[in-house]
Amino acid sequence: MQEIKTDQLEQSEYLLYIYTPFCGTCSIAKGMLEKIETVHKENLFLTMNASLHPEFMLENEVESVPCLLIKQKNEIKEKVYAFKSIGNLYTYLLEYKPELFLSS
């Protein structure tokens, strides 16, 4: 996972994990996302400290953290607030990143 840069916000597609540093639930959610990246051996998620981007939070109506914001084709498709489990997160990856599940 890598912290998002301003120019990356203009990309048409990304999976953005939004957190705050002192949020315990955010820490648990981050662990789930890191496990997914480890399994797939690639960086799938960009990260954003919500405290440093208040204008982004307002413009995109992010209601709370942790949040997994899914952007595709220049449009925000989902804002996931309830991470629940790694299995739950995979339901979103199946829909928005199906290429992860293609056998080589």
Side-chain angles (χ1 to χ4, degrees):
M1 293 174 58
Q2 69 179 45
E3 193 72 21
I4 196 161
K5 295 174 180 66
T6 306
D7 61 323
Q8 290 174 305
L9 290 172
E10 303 306 317
Q11 291 178 352
S12 64
E13 297 192 5
Y14 52 71
L15 300 170
L16 179 62
Y17 166 65
I18 305 170
Y19 68 97
T20 56
F22 301 108
C23 163
T25 307
C26 295
S27 181
I28 293 167
K30 180 179 181 183
M32 291 182 200
L33 298 177
E34 288 173 337
K35 284 183 176 121
I36 291 169
E37 286 188 338
T38 299
V39 166
H40 292 279
K41 297 179 176 76
E42 65 178 288
N43 290 326
L44 301 170
F45 308 100
L46 296 170
T47 65
M48 173 187 281
N49 180 342
S51 305
L52 302 177
H53 299 275
E55 58 287 331
F56 179 89
M57 301 293 286
L58 283 172
E59 289 170 13
N60 293 285
E61 300 175 356
V62 176
E63 298 169 15
S64 65
V65 293
C67 175
L68 180 61
L69 187 141
I70 301 168
K71 183 177 176 185
Q72 273 194 331
K73 298 180 181 166
N74 248 352
E75 181 182 322
I76 294 173
K77 298 291 187 179
E78 299 250 5
K79 288 181 256 182
V80 180
Y81 297 105
F83 284 58
K84 298 180 187 173
S85 67
I86 290 174
N88 180 59
L89 293 171
Y90 268 112
T91 61
Y92 296 99
L93 292 175
L94 273 166
E95 183 173 351
Y96 296 107
K97 291 282 276 180
E99 66 272 14
L100 289 174
F101 306 97
L102 299 175
S103 43
S104 27

XYZ file of all heavy atoms in Angstrom:
852
model
N 0.858 -1.167 0.000
C 0.000 0.000 0.000
C 0.904 1.230 0.000
O 1.914 1.258 0.656
C -0.892 -0.014 1.244
C -1.890 -1.157 1.212
S -2.896 -1.413 2.687
C -3.711 0.106 2.891
N 0.507 2.200 -0.786
C 1.291 3.430 -0.833
C 0.372 4.636 -0.694
O -0.771 4.613 -1.145
C 2.109 3.521 -2.117
C 1.252 3.724 -3.372
C 2.074 3.848 -4.637
O 2.984 3.073 -4.839
N 1.742 4.792 -5.469
N 0.887 5.674 -0.049
C 0.126 6.907 0.149
C -0.104 7.568 -1.211
O 0.809 7.684 -2.019
C 0.890 7.845 1.089
C 0.087 8.999 1.624
C -0.964 8.609 2.677
O -0.870 7.546 3.303
O -1.886 9.419 2.853
N -1.320 7.986 -1.452
C -1.694 8.587 -2.743
C -1.030 9.951 -2.904
O -0.862 10.692 -1.933
C -3.223 8.675 -2.892
C -3.599 8.909 -4.354
C -3.811 9.732 -1.979
C -5.039 8.554 -4.678
N -0.645 10.248 -4.134
C -0.099 11.566 -4.469
C -1.207 12.360 -5.168
O -2.107 11.775 -5.766
C 1.115 11.407 -5.372
C 2.275 10.714 -4.673
C 3.410 10.448 -5.663
C 4.577 9.770 -5.030
N 4.339 8.420 -4.556
N -1.129 13.660 -5.106
C -2.173 14.530 -5.642
C -2.503 14.202 -7.095
O -3.674 14.123 -7.462
C -1.768 16.011 -5.507
O -1.440 16.256 -4.136
C -2.882 16.938 -5.920
N -1.491 13.972 -7.924
C -1.755 13.687 -9.341
C -2.467 12.351 -9.529
O -3.217 12.169 -10.492
C -0.464 13.747 -10.165
C 0.582 12.735 -9.732
O 0.697 12.478 -8.512
O 1.302 12.215 -10.605
N -2.301 11.416 -8.602
C -2.981 10.123 -8.716
C -4.488 10.247 -8.493
O -5.252 9.403 -8.948
C -2.392 9.124 -7.720
C -0.987 8.684 -8.088
C -0.373 7.820 -7.012
O -0.303 8.212 -5.856
N 0.056 6.627 -7.387
N -4.915 11.306 -7.814
C -6.348 11.523 -7.607
C -7.072 11.753 -8.926
O -8.282 11.592 -9.006
C -6.586 12.707 -6.668
C -6.205 12.482 -5.206
C -6.298 13.783 -4.426
C -7.088 11.416 -4.584
N -6.337 12.140 -9.956
C -6.922 12.377 -11.275
C -7.039 11.101 -12.105
O -7.629 11.113 -13.178
C -6.087 13.412 -12.037
C -5.930 14.748 -11.316
C -7.259 15.370 -10.916
O -8.204 15.360 -11.739
O -7.361 15.853 -9.774
N -6.464 9.997 -11.632
C -6.552 8.744 -12.379
C -8.004 8.320 -12.510
O -8.839 8.624 -11.660
C -5.761 7.641 -11.668
C -4.272 7.841 -11.707
C -3.537 6.738 -10.933
O -4.139 5.911 -10.250
N -2.225 6.753 -11.039
N -8.302 7.594 -13.566
C -9.687 7.190 -13.806
C -10.101 5.990 -12.962
O -11.290 5.749 -12.774
C -9.902 6.891 -15.283
O -9.111 5.791 -15.673
N -9.115 5.245 -12.439
C -9.444 4.059 -11.646
C -8.466 3.901 -10.494
O -7.258 4.052 -10.669
C -9.399 2.793 -12.512
C -10.422 2.825 -13.616
C -10.598 1.479 -14.314
O -10.001 0.479 -13.891
O -11.355 1.458 -15.289
N -9.004 3.601 -9.328
C -8.176 3.221 -8.189
C -9.038 2.667 -7.067
O -10.254 2.836 -7.036
C -7.305 4.359 -7.669
C -7.998 5.671 -7.359
C -8.850 5.809 -6.259
C -7.766 6.802 -8.137
C -9.457 7.022 -5.961
C -8.365 8.012 -7.847
C -9.198 8.120 -6.753
O -9.790 9.320 -6.460
N -8.358 1.965 -6.173
C -8.943 1.489 -4.924
C -8.245 2.296 -3.835
O -7.042 2.140 -3.620
C -8.674 -0.009 -4.731
C -9.228 -0.940 -5.800
C -8.679 -2.348 -5.623
C -10.750 -0.961 -5.747
N -8.970 3.157 -3.173
C -8.378 4.092 -2.217
C -8.848 3.783 -0.806
O -10.042 3.863 -0.506
C -8.753 5.532 -2.595
C -8.233 6.640 -1.679
C -6.695 6.659 -1.668
C -8.776 7.989 -2.137
N -7.899 3.435 0.035
C -8.184 3.170 1.441
C -7.991 4.481 2.209
O -6.901 5.035 2.235
C -7.253 2.072 1.973
C -7.259 1.968 3.464
C -8.414 1.583 4.136
C -6.129 2.259 4.206
C -8.434 1.501 5.516
C -6.141 2.170 5.579
C -7.297 1.794 6.233
O -7.316 1.729 7.596
N -9.058 4.978 2.819
C -9.033 6.243 3.553
C -9.098 5.938 5.045
O -9.960 5.172 5.493
C -10.204 7.153 3.127
C -10.182 7.362 1.607
C -10.135 8.487 3.853
C -11.420 8.053 1.045
N -8.186 6.543 5.795
C -8.041 6.246 7.216
C -7.641 7.504 7.994
O -7.373 8.544 7.399
C -6.942 5.191 7.409
C -5.574 5.751 7.071
C -4.731 6.225 8.073
C -5.139 5.852 5.755
C -3.487 6.780 7.756
C -3.912 6.392 5.434
C -3.084 6.856 6.441
O -1.877 7.405 6.126
N -7.604 7.377 9.302
C -6.930 8.365 10.152
C -5.955 7.593 11.028
O -6.209 6.433 11.386
C -7.903 9.195 11.020
O -8.689 8.315 11.809
C -8.804 10.069 10.154
N -4.832 8.202 11.386
C -3.754 7.479 12.071
C -4.126 6.887 13.433
O -3.588 5.860 13.813
C -2.656 8.527 12.236
C -2.960 9.589 11.244
C -4.440 9.563 11.030
N -5.011 7.508 14.187
C -5.297 7.039 15.539
C -6.601 6.256 15.646
O -7.128 6.058 16.730
C -5.299 8.218 16.510
C -3.989 8.946 16.508
C -3.869 10.205 15.943
C -2.852 8.342 17.034
C -2.649 10.864 15.913
C -1.624 8.994 17.012
C -1.513 10.254 16.456
N -7.103 5.774 14.521
C -8.359 5.024 14.464
C -8.046 3.529 14.581
O -7.378 2.962 13.712
C -9.066 5.348 13.145
S -10.358 4.212 12.657
N -8.531 2.905 15.654
C -8.278 1.480 15.852
C -8.914 0.610 14.792
O -8.312 -0.359 14.320
N -10.141 0.937 14.404
C -10.825 0.164 13.359
C -10.084 0.293 12.033
O -10.019 -0.666 11.262
C -12.285 0.647 13.218
O -12.900 0.618 14.501
C -13.071 -0.228 12.262
N -9.518 1.469 11.781
C -8.737 1.679 10.553
C -7.517 0.758 10.532
O -7.151 0.217 9.487
C -8.273 3.128 10.451
S -9.601 4.326 10.272
N -6.906 0.581 11.676
C -5.732 -0.276 11.775
C -6.090 -1.728 11.439
O -5.356 -2.415 10.721
C -5.150 -0.176 13.181
O -4.012 -0.965 13.308
N -7.221 -2.192 11.928
C -7.684 -3.551 11.628
C -7.984 -3.685 10.132
O -7.600 -4.657 9.482
C -8.921 -3.899 12.477
C -8.521 -3.972 13.955
C -9.573 -5.199 12.008
C -9.683 -3.993 14.919
N -8.670 -2.689 9.570
C -9.008 -2.699 8.139
C -7.741 -2.708 7.283
O -7.656 -3.449 6.293
C -9.875 -1.494 7.800
N -6.769 -1.914 7.684
C -5.505 -1.858 6.938
C -4.842 -3.231 6.926
O -4.313 -3.666 5.899
C -4.567 -0.825 7.550
C -3.247 -0.709 6.830
C -2.350 0.342 7.453
C -1.044 0.430 6.681
N -0.119 1.391 7.289
N -4.888 -3.934 8.054
C -4.316 -5.281 8.126
C -4.968 -6.223 7.130
O -4.299 -7.039 6.495
N -6.288 -6.116 6.982
C -7.004 -6.954 6.014
C -6.528 -6.666 4.592
O -6.277 -7.585 3.804
C -8.507 -6.712 6.101
C -9.163 -7.206 7.344
S -10.950 -6.866 7.228
C -11.399 -6.945 8.945
N -6.416 -5.385 4.262
C -5.992 -4.997 2.908
C -4.555 -5.432 2.640
O -4.230 -5.886 1.535
C -6.148 -3.490 2.724
C -7.577 -2.951 2.842
C -7.579 -1.426 2.719
C -8.507 -3.576 1.830
N -3.700 -5.311 3.651
C -2.305 -5.739 3.487
C -2.219 -7.245 3.261
O -1.401 -7.706 2.454
C -1.476 -5.332 4.712
C -1.217 -3.850 4.768
C -0.538 -3.384 6.043
O -0.633 -4.068 7.087
O 0.086 -2.310 5.992
N -3.069 -8.025 3.916
C -3.077 -9.480 3.698
C -3.489 -9.803 2.266
O -2.922 -10.690 1.636
C -3.998 -10.163 4.699
C -3.383 -10.257 6.070
C -4.257 -10.995 7.050
C -3.515 -11.131 8.358
N -4.144 -10.568 9.487
N -4.473 -9.081 1.759
C -4.911 -9.292 0.369
C -3.757 -8.984 -0.587
O -3.490 -9.743 -1.518
C -6.154 -8.440 0.042
C -7.364 -8.974 0.827
C -6.426 -8.426 -1.462
C -8.587 -8.067 0.786
N -3.049 -7.882 -0.352
C -1.913 -7.529 -1.212
C -0.811 -8.587 -1.134
O -0.195 -8.916 -2.151
C -1.349 -6.156 -0.827
C -2.211 -5.020 -1.267
C -1.568 -3.659 -1.053
O -0.655 -3.518 -0.208
O -1.982 -2.715 -1.745
N -0.584 -9.130 0.042
C 0.437 -10.167 0.211
C 0.082 -11.406 -0.600
O 0.936 -11.980 -1.291
C 0.592 -10.525 1.707
O 1.002 -9.353 2.411
C 1.626 -11.615 1.915
N -1.175 -11.811 -0.546
C -1.621 -12.988 -1.296
C -1.427 -12.773 -2.796
O -0.974 -13.661 -3.514
C -3.103 -13.314 -0.979
C -3.688 -14.305 -1.975
C -3.234 -13.830 0.441
N -1.747 -11.586 -3.281
C -1.678 -11.301 -4.722
C -0.317 -10.769 -5.166
O -0.102 -10.534 -6.355
C -2.802 -10.345 -5.125
C -4.149 -10.993 -5.021
N -4.650 -11.822 -5.997
C -5.074 -10.965 -4.038
C -5.837 -12.274 -5.622
N -6.114 -11.778 -4.438
N 0.561 -10.529 -4.190
C 1.927 -10.069 -4.465
C 1.973 -8.816 -5.345
O 2.764 -8.715 -6.276
C 2.752 -11.191 -5.096
C 2.941 -12.391 -4.194
C 3.749 -13.470 -4.872
C 4.023 -14.635 -3.964
N 2.923 -15.534 -3.732
N 1.070 -7.871 -5.040
C 1.087 -6.585 -5.752
C 0.394 -5.515 -4.918
O -0.400 -5.826 -4.032
C 0.450 -6.697 -7.133
C -1.023 -7.016 -7.144
C -1.602 -7.068 -8.559
O -1.740 -6.003 -9.192
O -1.919 -8.182 -9.018
N 0.735 -4.275 -5.209
C 0.072 -3.151 -4.555
C -1.260 -2.917 -5.243
O -1.299 -2.546 -6.408
C 0.928 -1.880 -4.640
C 2.163 -1.970 -3.772
O 2.128 -2.572 -2.708
N 3.251 -1.395 -4.233
N -2.332 -3.151 -4.524
C -3.674 -2.973 -5.083
C -4.336 -1.697 -4.597
O -5.183 -1.140 -5.285
C -4.563 -4.161 -4.686
C -4.094 -5.533 -5.127
C -4.931 -6.622 -4.454
C -4.182 -5.640 -6.634
N -3.943 -1.249 -3.414
C -4.641 -0.152 -2.759
C -3.725 1.052 -2.562
O -2.578 0.912 -2.175
C -5.149 -0.603 -1.383
C -5.951 -1.868 -1.429
C -5.389 -3.090 -1.089
C -7.284 -1.849 -1.830
C -6.117 -4.264 -1.136
C -8.029 -3.015 -1.887
C -7.443 -4.230 -1.542
N -4.277 2.216 -2.847
C -3.628 3.469 -2.471
C -4.213 3.866 -1.125
O -5.323 3.466 -0.782
C -3.919 4.552 -3.519
C -3.348 4.284 -4.913
C -3.906 5.290 -5.917
C -1.830 4.353 -4.885
N -3.477 4.641 -0.351
C -3.966 5.060 0.957
C -4.027 6.574 1.047
O -3.295 7.275 0.344
C -3.069 4.525 2.096
O -1.779 5.108 1.991
C -2.961 3.017 2.054
N -4.933 7.052 1.910
C -5.062 8.497 2.117
C -5.389 8.754 3.581
O -6.343 8.199 4.117
C -6.178 9.086 1.252
C -6.480 10.550 1.554
S -7.931 11.172 0.679
C -7.225 11.447 -0.925
N -4.589 9.606 4.205
C -4.869 10.060 5.557
C -5.954 11.133 5.442
O -5.712 12.216 4.912
C -3.594 10.611 6.200
C -3.806 11.109 7.607
O -4.930 11.365 8.044
N -2.712 11.267 8.324
N -7.133 10.827 5.923
C -8.276 11.741 5.795
C -8.001 13.098 6.424
O -8.473 14.125 5.930
C -9.511 11.111 6.434
N -7.214 13.121 7.469
C -6.916 14.380 8.164
C -6.156 15.366 7.282
O -6.244 16.576 7.481
C -6.081 14.104 9.419
O -6.732 13.176 10.245
N -5.421 14.851 6.311
C -4.611 15.708 5.442
C -5.330 16.131 4.159
O -4.802 16.920 3.383
C -3.307 14.992 5.067
C -2.416 14.563 6.236
C -1.210 13.799 5.728
C -1.997 15.772 7.067
N -6.540 15.611 3.943
C -7.274 15.895 2.705
C -8.740 16.228 2.991
O -9.651 15.589 2.440
C -7.185 14.697 1.756
C -5.792 14.350 1.352
N -5.144 14.966 0.302
C -4.901 13.476 1.881
C -3.927 14.473 0.188
N -3.746 13.568 1.141
N -9.009 17.247 3.807
C -10.406 17.559 4.154
C -11.253 17.953 2.948
O -12.440 17.624 2.889
C -10.282 18.706 5.157
C -8.924 19.291 4.918
C -8.066 18.156 4.445
N -10.654 18.617 1.972
C -11.423 19.026 0.793
C -11.850 17.814 -0.026
O -12.971 17.748 -0.533
C -10.668 20.049 -0.060
C -9.312 19.632 -0.592
C -8.164 19.562 0.437
O -8.171 20.290 1.444
O -7.259 18.742 0.217
N -10.980 16.814 -0.148
C -11.336 15.583 -0.853
C -12.487 14.882 -0.129
O -13.427 14.402 -0.760
C -10.122 14.638 -0.938
C -10.418 13.344 -1.640
C -10.274 13.233 -3.010
C -10.849 12.224 -0.924
C -10.565 12.037 -3.667
C -11.140 11.029 -1.565
C -10.995 10.941 -2.941
N -12.404 14.853 1.194
C -13.446 14.200 1.998
C -14.804 14.866 1.765
O -15.810 14.184 1.600
C -13.078 14.255 3.486
C -11.755 13.576 3.823
S -11.805 11.811 3.589
C -12.793 11.344 4.991
N -14.827 16.196 1.743
C -16.079 16.931 1.508
C -16.592 16.740 0.091
O -17.764 16.444 -0.116
C -15.879 18.419 1.792
C -15.843 18.831 3.260
C -15.434 20.302 3.388
C -17.176 18.587 3.923
N -15.719 16.930 -0.879
C -16.119 16.834 -2.285
C -16.683 15.462 -2.627
O -17.597 15.343 -3.447
C -14.919 17.118 -3.206
C -14.480 18.563 -3.225
C -13.147 18.760 -3.950
O -12.680 17.831 -4.654
O -12.574 19.851 -3.791
N -16.134 14.425 -2.007
C -16.543 13.058 -2.331
C -17.488 12.452 -1.292
O -17.794 11.263 -1.361
C -15.306 12.182 -2.518
C -14.537 12.608 -3.741
O -14.943 12.326 -4.862
N -13.450 13.327 -3.553
N -17.937 13.302 -0.382
C -18.922 12.917 0.630
C -18.538 11.634 1.372
O -19.359 10.732 1.566
C -20.306 12.796 0.000
C -20.779 14.094 -0.617
C -22.101 13.979 -1.361
O -22.643 12.863 -1.485
O -22.592 15.025 -1.815
N -17.270 11.565 1.784
C -16.810 10.438 2.591
C -17.317 10.681 4.002
O -16.994 11.677 4.630
C -15.266 10.306 2.547
C -14.792 9.189 3.454
C -14.798 10.083 1.109
N -18.129 9.763 4.499
C -18.844 9.964 5.758
C -18.054 9.559 6.991
O -18.254 10.133 8.059
C -20.164 9.191 5.720
C -21.077 9.689 4.617
C -22.275 8.783 4.390
O -22.557 7.922 5.254
O -22.927 8.932 3.345
N -17.193 8.549 6.862
C -16.424 8.096 8.019
C -15.231 7.279 7.553
O -15.094 6.974 6.366
C -17.299 7.266 8.965
O -17.705 6.072 8.335
N -14.382 6.938 8.505
C -13.235 6.073 8.233
C -13.340 4.862 9.151
O -13.947 4.963 10.214
C -11.894 6.811 8.447
C -11.717 7.908 7.423
C -11.760 7.353 9.861
N -12.817 3.733 8.728
C -12.151 3.494 7.451
C -13.146 3.473 6.293
O -14.328 3.198 6.474
C -11.524 2.105 7.632
C -12.396 1.430 8.632
C -12.879 2.513 9.553
N -12.610 3.780 5.118
C -13.427 3.779 3.901
C -12.579 3.246 2.750
O -11.435 3.668 2.579
C -13.896 5.193 3.586
S -14.795 5.332 2.022
N -13.137 2.340 1.994
C -12.516 1.899 0.748
C -13.325 2.519 -0.375
O -14.473 2.158 -0.603
C -12.505 0.375 0.631
C -11.865 -0.174 -0.645
C -10.389 0.228 -0.738
C -12.004 -1.690 -0.707
N -12.733 3.503 -1.021
C -13.390 4.224 -2.109
C -12.955 3.575 -3.419
O -11.762 3.457 -3.686
C -12.989 5.696 -2.057
C -13.713 6.620 -3.023
C -14.000 7.949 -2.344
C -12.887 6.851 -4.256
N -13.920 3.137 -4.193
C -13.647 2.436 -5.448
C -14.022 3.353 -6.610
O -15.185 3.726 -6.766
C -14.432 1.113 -5.522
C -14.048 0.215 -4.340
C -14.187 0.421 -6.865
C -14.951 -0.986 -4.153
N -13.029 3.708 -7.404
C -13.246 4.586 -8.552
C -12.942 3.805 -9.825
O -11.892 3.178 -9.934
C -12.337 5.819 -8.456
C -12.539 6.824 -9.565
C -11.646 8.039 -9.352
C -11.747 9.032 -10.474
N -10.800 10.148 -10.307
N -13.883 3.833 -10.753
C -13.715 3.201 -12.059
C -14.308 4.085 -13.129
O -15.359 4.691 -12.920
C -14.428 1.843 -12.093
C -13.598 0.708 -11.609
C -14.235 -0.619 -11.995
O -15.441 -0.744 -12.134
N -13.406 -1.622 -12.160
N -13.627 4.121 -14.255
C -14.083 4.918 -15.403
C -14.438 6.336 -14.969
O -15.471 6.884 -15.340
C -15.258 4.232 -16.098
C -14.891 2.876 -16.660
C -16.053 2.206 -17.344
C -15.595 0.850 -17.838
N -16.689 -0.005 -18.226
N -13.555 6.911 -14.141
C -13.676 8.299 -13.672
C -14.915 8.559 -12.825
O -15.373 9.678 -12.716
C -13.621 9.277 -14.839
C -12.364 10.102 -14.791
O -11.613 10.055 -13.826
N -12.134 10.868 -15.830
N -15.453 7.517 -12.218
C -16.660 7.657 -11.415
C -16.515 6.847 -10.129
O -16.025 5.715 -10.160
C -17.841 7.131 -12.242
C -19.167 7.218 -11.571
C -20.268 6.632 -12.456
O -20.219 6.820 -13.689
O -21.162 5.981 -11.899
N -16.922 7.423 -9.019
C -16.900 6.683 -7.770
C -18.044 5.679 -7.788
O -19.207 6.052 -7.905
C -16.998 7.625 -6.556
C -15.745 8.489 -6.492
C -17.171 6.817 -5.264
C -15.771 9.563 -5.446
N -17.686 4.399 -7.732
C -18.668 3.322 -7.824
C -19.180 2.896 -6.449
O -20.340 2.558 -6.302
C -18.064 2.104 -8.535
C -17.650 2.368 -9.958
C -18.848 2.597 -10.836
C -18.436 2.692 -12.296
N -19.563 2.886 -13.174
N -18.270 2.871 -5.471
C -18.647 2.399 -4.130
C -17.811 3.114 -3.084
O -16.662 3.479 -3.341
C -18.359 0.897 -3.966
C -19.083 0.012 -4.904
C -20.152 -0.827 -4.232
O -20.424 -0.665 -3.031
O -20.730 -1.648 -4.964
N -18.394 3.235 -1.913
C -17.664 3.638 -0.709
C -18.004 2.584 0.334
O -19.143 2.499 0.790
C -18.088 5.029 -0.239
C -17.576 6.136 -1.142
C -17.997 7.496 -0.634
C -19.126 7.976 -1.518
N -19.618 9.290 -1.208
N -17.021 1.764 0.653
C -17.223 0.656 1.590
C -16.777 1.128 2.974
O -15.626 1.505 3.163
C -16.411 -0.582 1.159
C -16.617 -1.728 2.131
C -16.766 -0.986 -0.269
N -17.687 1.109 3.918
C -17.371 1.516 5.288
C -17.280 0.317 6.225
O -16.598 0.372 7.233
C -18.426 2.494 5.812
C -18.488 3.783 5.028
C -19.534 4.033 4.132
C -17.506 4.753 5.153
C -19.597 5.213 3.407
C -17.559 5.936 4.429
C -18.605 6.160 3.566
O -18.660 7.325 2.841
N -17.997 -0.746 5.938
C -17.998 -1.932 6.778
C -17.097 -2.992 6.141
O -17.495 -3.667 5.199
C -19.419 -2.463 6.935
N -15.892 -3.122 6.646
C -14.934 -4.058 6.066
C -15.276 -5.504 6.432
O -15.043 -6.406 5.658
C -13.516 -3.690 6.515
C -12.963 -2.497 5.786
C -13.609 -1.275 5.813
C -11.799 -2.603 5.060
C -13.113 -0.177 5.136
C -11.281 -1.509 4.371
C -11.949 -0.299 4.418
N -15.830 -5.739 7.589
C -16.328 -7.035 8.085
C -15.279 -8.132 8.099
O -14.934 -8.646 9.140
C -17.563 -7.495 7.316
C -18.744 -6.574 7.447
C -19.930 -7.091 6.650
C -21.054 -6.068 6.653
N -22.136 -6.452 5.761
N -14.797 -8.537 6.928
C -13.826 -9.633 6.834
C -13.089 -9.541 5.503
O -13.509 -8.820 4.592
C -14.549 -10.982 6.908
O -15.356 -11.153 5.751
N -12.024 -10.319 5.395
C -11.296 -10.369 4.123
C -12.212 -10.940 3.038
O -12.227 -10.455 1.909
C -9.997 -11.188 4.278
C -9.007 -10.405 5.152
C -9.387 -11.516 2.925
C -7.739 -11.150 5.510
N -13.006 -11.929 3.392
C -13.954 -12.500 2.429
C -14.920 -11.461 1.902
O -15.236 -11.437 0.707
N -15.397 -10.604 2.773
C -16.300 -9.522 2.362
C -15.598 -8.586 1.376
O -16.179 -8.180 0.366
C -16.793 -8.745 3.583
C -17.726 -7.627 3.202
O -18.765 -7.828 2.603
N -17.343 -6.398 3.542
N -14.346 -8.261 1.650
C -13.604 -7.375 0.746
C -13.401 -8.022 -0.618
O -13.422 -7.345 -1.647
C -12.263 -6.988 1.374
C -12.376 -6.117 2.619
C -11.022 -5.964 3.295
C -12.968 -4.760 2.282
N -13.243 -9.344 -0.621
C -13.084 -10.034 -1.907
C -14.332 -9.928 -2.781
O -14.235 -9.964 -4.009
C -12.695 -11.499 -1.701
C -11.197 -11.709 -1.699
C -10.528 -12.081 -0.547
C -10.452 -11.529 -2.861
C -9.155 -12.266 -0.548
C -9.085 -11.705 -2.875
C -8.440 -12.078 -1.711
O -7.082 -12.252 -1.724
N -15.507 -9.771 -2.193
C -16.706 -9.614 -3.017
C -16.599 -8.347 -3.866
O -17.043 -8.323 -5.010
C -18.001 -9.581 -2.189
O -17.975 -8.473 -1.295
C -18.213 -10.867 -1.426
N -15.989 -7.306 -3.314
C -15.786 -6.066 -4.079
C -14.686 -6.247 -5.116
O -14.801 -5.756 -6.247
C -15.458 -4.896 -3.148
C -16.596 -4.573 -2.215
C -16.605 -5.028 -0.903
C -17.687 -3.833 -2.665
C -17.673 -4.751 -0.051
C -18.755 -3.554 -1.822
C -18.742 -4.015 -0.517
O -19.805 -3.749 0.309
N -13.627 -6.953 -4.755
C -12.546 -7.181 -5.709
C -13.021 -8.045 -6.877
O -12.619 -7.815 -8.017
C -11.349 -7.833 -5.010
C -10.624 -6.944 -4.008
C -9.534 -7.735 -3.285
C -10.036 -5.710 -4.678
N -13.863 -9.015 -6.603
C -14.412 -9.831 -7.696
C -15.179 -8.973 -8.697
O -15.104 -9.186 -9.907
C -15.351 -10.897 -7.139
C -14.703 -12.206 -6.714
C -15.675 -13.043 -5.877
C -14.222 -12.989 -7.916
N -15.908 -7.997 -8.179
C -16.695 -7.137 -9.062
C -15.844 -6.102 -9.791
O -16.020 -5.873 -10.982
C -17.781 -6.418 -8.253
C -18.689 -5.567 -9.109
C -19.870 -4.981 -8.352
O -20.105 -5.370 -7.189
O -20.558 -4.139 -8.944
N -14.904 -5.480 -9.070
C -14.185 -4.342 -9.638
C -12.760 -4.652 -10.119
O -12.177 -3.847 -10.830
C -14.144 -3.199 -8.627
C -15.531 -2.664 -8.329
C -16.160 -2.919 -7.114
C -16.233 -1.927 -9.279
C -17.441 -2.441 -6.856
C -17.509 -1.450 -9.031
C -18.104 -1.717 -7.810
O -19.377 -1.254 -7.551
N -12.200 -5.784 -9.717
C -10.858 -6.174 -10.172
C -10.863 -7.656 -10.541
O -10.072 -8.442 -10.028
C -9.821 -5.936 -9.056
C -9.523 -4.511 -8.697
C -8.618 -3.822 -9.653
C -7.157 -4.081 -9.370
N -6.326 -3.377 -10.346
N -11.763 -8.080 -11.437
C -11.871 -9.517 -11.746
C -10.588 -10.115 -12.320
O -10.358 -11.314 -12.210
C -13.024 -9.577 -12.752
C -13.096 -8.212 -13.345
C -12.659 -7.269 -12.244
N -9.728 -9.284 -12.879
C -8.476 -9.778 -13.459
C -7.583 -10.432 -12.397
O -6.713 -11.246 -12.723
C -7.735 -8.659 -14.200
C -7.231 -7.522 -13.332
C -8.236 -6.405 -13.103
O -9.444 -6.563 -13.387
O -7.832 -5.344 -12.602
N -7.807 -10.118 -11.129
C -7.031 -10.746 -10.058
C -7.302 -12.241 -9.958
O -6.517 -12.989 -9.400
C -7.371 -10.108 -8.699
C -6.885 -8.700 -8.443
C -7.439 -8.189 -7.116
C -5.369 -8.645 -8.435
N -8.430 -12.675 -10.490
C -8.867 -14.051 -10.303
C -8.767 -14.897 -11.559
O -9.228 -16.035 -11.584
C -10.314 -14.060 -9.754
C -10.412 -13.219 -8.508
C -10.865 -11.902 -8.582
C -10.018 -13.725 -7.287
C -10.934 -11.116 -7.437
C -10.080 -12.939 -6.137
C -10.550 -11.638 -6.212
N -8.165 -14.340 -12.594
C -7.964 -15.101 -13.834
C -6.743 -15.993 -13.652
O -5.712 -15.559 -13.159
C -7.753 -14.158 -15.026
C -8.905 -13.209 -15.345
C -8.506 -12.254 -16.461
C -10.132 -14.006 -15.738
N -6.853 -17.240 -14.028
C -5.683 -18.122 -13.911
C -4.763 -17.878 -15.100
O -5.185 -17.591 -16.202
C -6.117 -19.581 -13.825
O -7.134 -19.852 -14.756
N -3.480 -17.997 -14.821
C -2.483 -17.731 -15.878
C -2.064 -18.963 -16.598
O -2.291 -20.045 -16.282
C -1.268 -17.030 -15.309
O -1.043 -17.306 -13.966
